[in-house]
Amino acid sequence: MALQDSKTSKLDMYQNLKTRIHRRLIERLDLANIDTIDKSILTSEIGRAVAALIEEEGIPLNQVERDSLIVDIQHETFGLGPLEPFLADPDISDILVNRYNQVFIEKLGKLHPVDVHFRDDNHLLQIIDRIVSKVGRRIDESSPYVDARLPDGSRVNAIIPPLALDGPVLSIRRFGVEPLKISDILNFGSLNKNMAAILEGCVKTRCNILISGGTGTGKTTLLNILSEFIPHGERIITIEDSAELMLKQDHVVRLETRPPNIEGKGDITQRDLVRNALRMRPDRIIVGEVRGGEALDMLQAMNTGHDGSLSTIHSNSSRDALARLGTMVLMSGLELPERAIREQIASAIQLVIQVVRFSDGSRKIASISEITGMEGDTIVMQDIFVYKRKGVASDGTILGDFSATGVRPRFMDKFKVSGIDVSGHIFEATNE
């Protein structure tokens, strides 16, 4: 108990010292001109200033402690404070701050608590405000939650009291500086070569694709990867709540929604942007995630010449994804018969990809399914490839195989007309 108290006391002393030096540093800095100074020069100068302030404090520190304090204060001044080291680790995919003194990270698919915390709620609020203000968003009691992004494209969600009962909450979904490619997820075992060849062909032949999955399954990552196959000569318009997609093509127009202002006016929704995108001569429209009334406009766009469009949706199965899509169409405010909605969906979408994250942290494509039309009031869908789970290894790794179902998809005719050579043998069912 005494050891724990001593450790806490030392941590409090360190935090107090860091706070004092940081406050004195801010008083000395010319904040108006900071953005005009080269970052490497600025970092060096701040390092010297902090070293001088440490000397003035007169507290004895060894070289390791001094270096650590200088780095922490630099992070405090320009970065995300105690979270900054996690942003430098490419293996960390999520940073989750439940309270100022409780932080979790997801590393290689597994959640871990970390011995890092903020000074108090106000300290965490300062970091949140620094993030959201850089992208023109705001967070306060009148607007107590916000979606934003970091300069590297990582997605940020923050929610504060009175909605968050235990203090501010911050969630950061990391994205790599370089987006993954199809070869990367092949190496990860998220799909096999036959599935990759089919997905490449479907994008190139302008099939409309819906990617379905739960939170953290890698829907946006897969959407980014599939966009790699879009020809460079096409005009692509992306529509997102918080910009995450990193397309490599030259002809890309990125649109992002806008929240209401302090008077509760001026918001621009995804539906507004989809409608506007139709007037911008798009070859393809990519909606980062369909979640509301924009579903109707997206389906109509797919049915009126804007084929080759892609989007994601939260759902636990391919069949549930279509049901959710139908519900979202009703959110547009138009009273359409259920059959008419299903006909729109069956006509607009050719392929549904279901992605899953398993208990071992691995993410896999659980199924690739083709929509073939309607039978009565039911949308007909057939699985082309599925992942068959077989068990769990002694180390917790999920065991299973990808296999074809034996169904030859109708879009193979489009492949042939487009000159894409894919052997029909890859659809032969695996004998087990």
Side-chain angles (χ1 to χ4, degrees), residues 68-110:
S68 175
L69 184 58
I70 289 171
V71 170
D72 284 351
I73 292 174
Q74 287 174 339
H75 289 165
E76 202 67 49
T77 307
F78 302 109
L80 302 190
L83 302 184
E84 198 68 26
F86 302 134
L87 296 174
D89 188 340
D91 292 331
I92 293 176
S93 55
D94 283 278
I95 303 170
L96 308 171
V97 183
N98 295 344
R99 295 187 295 276
Y100 79 89
N101 59 355
Q102 186 183 72
V103 181
F104 284 79
I105 61 169
E106 182 182 291
K107 189 166 185 175
L108 302 177
K110 293 282 190 177

Side-chain angles (χ1 to χ4, degrees), residues 137-170:
R137 304 286 172 105
R138 64 185 178 85
I139 188 164
D140 50 41
E141 285 192 7
S142 63
S143 180
Y145 59 90
V146 68
D147 285 313
R149 65 180 182 277
L150 297 177
D152 66 357
S154 298
R155 186 174 68 200
V156 176
N157 177 270
I159 184 166
I160 65 173
L163 300 187
L165 300 181
D166 298 322
V169 179
L170 177 65

